Amino acid sequence: MEEVNIMMKPVSGNCNMRCSYCFYMDEMQNREIRFPAKMSLQTLEQIVKRVQETGVKKCNFAFQGGEPTLVGLAFFEKFISYVKKYLYDRQVSFSIQTNGYNLTDEWMRFLKYNDFLVGVSVDGVRATHDCNRKDTNQRGTYERVMQNIDRLKEAKIPFNVLTVVNAKTAAKIRRIYESYKKNQFRYQQYIICLDPLDSDEKNSSYSLTNEAYGQFLCDLFDLWYLDLQKGEQPYIRQFESYISIFFGMYPDACEQRGVCSCQIVIESDGSVYPCDFYVLDNYSIGNVTDEGFTYEKLPEKAKEFIAPSVAVDEECRHCKYYILCRNGCRRMRSFEERRYGKNIFCEAYQRFFDYAGERLYQIADTLRKTKS
């Protein structure tokens, strides 16, 4: 093992916002213990010590939730002290995914001093953000989040924005893109809104249709491609991944790989799961506090989880776009007769690749010629 990536959820799914589409809240509703207590310092120290035991030279720690800042700044300061104690001779990086609501001056100083990369969840403009991302009193959170993003910029703390593609944001992507451009959001990530587990029903308030998602991808690509011609394009991970595939490179996002991996997601009680989308009782692959636990054994234990994702749907196998799509994320695949079928957004992806595939190839070809 040369490198280890660890995602920690120090307060589990607890949050100071009530987003209508929260996939993690849905997962908690499907667990025996819905709200485990916040992570203890003993568990936190054990997580770091386990990394030391692997002997790896590089480790990436990512904090998510729920809202990870709710665990308190003292917890994070203790975490840094454990890293300095046990991993002083390793290359270590830190990131945090936050809703941006609780970023006080003290948090700003901490994140800056300790070189955290900050991901902020924001759903476009005020109207598209506030309709789904409300506080505990059901008030919109857009203004406060944007103010804190401005403070991140002023403090020169590196950040990116994470936008959930739902019925509202997909329809307004042109307006959202221009807003992001105006606010100088150079690093953007867009993720599909997940419907509840084991549900065939679409929630009309936020759920995506194939038509809406396909149009969203085409519109976003047009905007991005226009800026690319001027050398002003933001980094959009999904498009960059498709271009890297044309280069013959292995994409870093499992959605583009088409096969699950073992992510090492650690809940607040120390239990470990192979994927953020499957933090459910029957997918647990150990607990960092158990005697004999090692990170090296996790990929072996996760094989049962990974195996179903390897199978290729017969229709996908003969699709001309399979090399780019690879049937997407496992959570996006239909499930029939105890096997995973094709991606539920297959029509949207086919429409997008019909529309933008040639231009994606041309971008990759131009870059290849430039480098050669």
Side-chain angles (χ1 to χ4, degrees), residues 160-337:
N160 55 54
V161 293
L162 175 67
T163 299
V164 176
V165 186
N166 55 60
K168 302 294 186 182
T169 53
K172 300 292 185 181
I173 187 54
R174 291 185 176 274
R175 185 178 169 194
I176 290 170
Y177 186 90
E178 291 305 318
S179 174
Y180 286 2
K181 188 174 180 179
K182 178 181 178 181
N183 284 287
Q184 299 179 317
F185 293 171
R186 299 297 303 162
Y187 297 90
Q188 304 169 19
Q189 185 178 356
Y190 298 87
I191 60 171
I192 297 176
C193 183
L194 293 176
D195 283 307
L197 287 160
D198 302 322
S199 173
D200 294 326
E201 298 297 322
K202 292 287 185 181
N203 184 313
S204 59
S205 68
Y206 58 75
S207 292
L208 273 177
T209 63
N210 265 280
E211 181 180 2
Y213 188 51
Q215 188 64 53
F216 161 84
L217 288 173
C218 294
D219 288 346
L220 179 61
F221 181 80
D222 277 345
L223 294 163
W224 177 83
Y225 187 75
L226 183 62
D227 279 341
L228 176 71
Q229 307 308 302
K230 297 181 286 187
E232 299 174 355
Q233 81 283 6
Y235 179 92
I236 296 180
R237 185 184 187 187
Q238 188 169 2
F239 298 156
E240 298 285 347
S241 292
Y242 293 141
I243 293 167
S244 71
I245 291 172
F246 278 123
F247 264 104
M249 298 169 63
Y250 196 62
D252 59 351
C254 52
E255 178 184 2
Q256 275 82 36
R257 294 183 206 146
V259 177
C260 294
S261 60
C262 183
Q263 293 182 345
I264 311 183
V265 181
I266 305 179
E267 251 288 1
S268 60
D269 61 358
S271 54
V272 184
Y273 302 83
C275 176
D276 194 27
F277 291 161
Y278 290 89
V279 184
L280 300 161
D281 295 337
N282 56 324
Y283 290 105
S284 177
I285 53 176
N287 192 297
V288 294
T289 63
D290 291 342
E291 186 177 347
F293 176 93
T294 65
Y295 289 133
E296 294 97 323
K297 293 179 181 179
L298 293 183
E300 184 68 27
K301 288 187 175 182
K303 279 186 176 179
E304 185 176 345
F305 169 77
I306 294 170
S309 71
V310 176
V312 179
D313 181 77
E314 192 62 27
E315 193 172 337
C316 293
R317 190 187 302 276
H318 301 289
C319 176
K320 62 181 178 179
Y321 295 129
Y322 179 72
I323 188 62
L324 289 172
C325 173
R326 306 190 191 196
N327 208 14
C329 173
R330 167 177 170 169
R331 268 294 297 268
M332 300 300 171
R333 299 179 191 178
S334 58
F335 187 78
E336 298 175 358
E337 298 178 358

Side-chain angles (χ1 to χ4, degrees), residues 66-83:
E67 175 48 42
T69 60
L70 292 182
V71 76
L73 196 53
F75 176 93
F76 276 81
E77 290 170 338
K78 199 67 177 177
F79 165 71
I80 294 296
S81 73
Y82 291 146
V83 170

Side-chain angles (χ1 to χ4, degrees), residues 6 16 25 33 39 50 65 104 112 115 133 141 145 148 227 237 246-247 272-273 294 314 326 335 359-360 370:
I6 295 173
N16 50 3
M25 181 63 71
I33 301 176
M39 187 177 288
R50 295 296 191 191
T104 62
K112 175 73 172 179
D115 297 320
R133 301 185 66 83
T141 59
V145 171
N148 284 333
D227 279 341
R237 185 184 187 187
F246 278 123
F247 264 104
V272 184
Y273 302 83
T294 65
E314 192 62 27
R326 306 190 191 196
F335 187 78
R359 280 180 286 173
L360 285 167
T370 301

Side-chain angles (χ1 to χ4, degrees), residues 104-130:
T104 62
D105 290 341
E106 291 77 12
W107 274 107
M108 292 289 179
R109 286 192 288 270
F110 173 83
L111 296 170
K112 175 73 172 179
Y113 184 78
N114 292 287
D115 297 320
F116 268 70
L117 171 64
V118 181
V120 183
S121 297
V122 56
D123 278 0
V125 294
R126 185 187 300 273
T128 56
H129 181 101
D130 282 351

Side-chain angles (χ1 to χ4, degrees), residues 143-161:
E143 184 174 355
R144 183 162 170 174
V145 171
M146 291 299 290
Q147 287 174 348
N148 284 333
I149 289 177
D150 285 340
R151 294 169 65 225
L152 286 170
K153 289 192 284 188
E154 290 170 6
K156 294 182 170 53
I157 297 172
F159 74 94
N160 55 54
V161 293

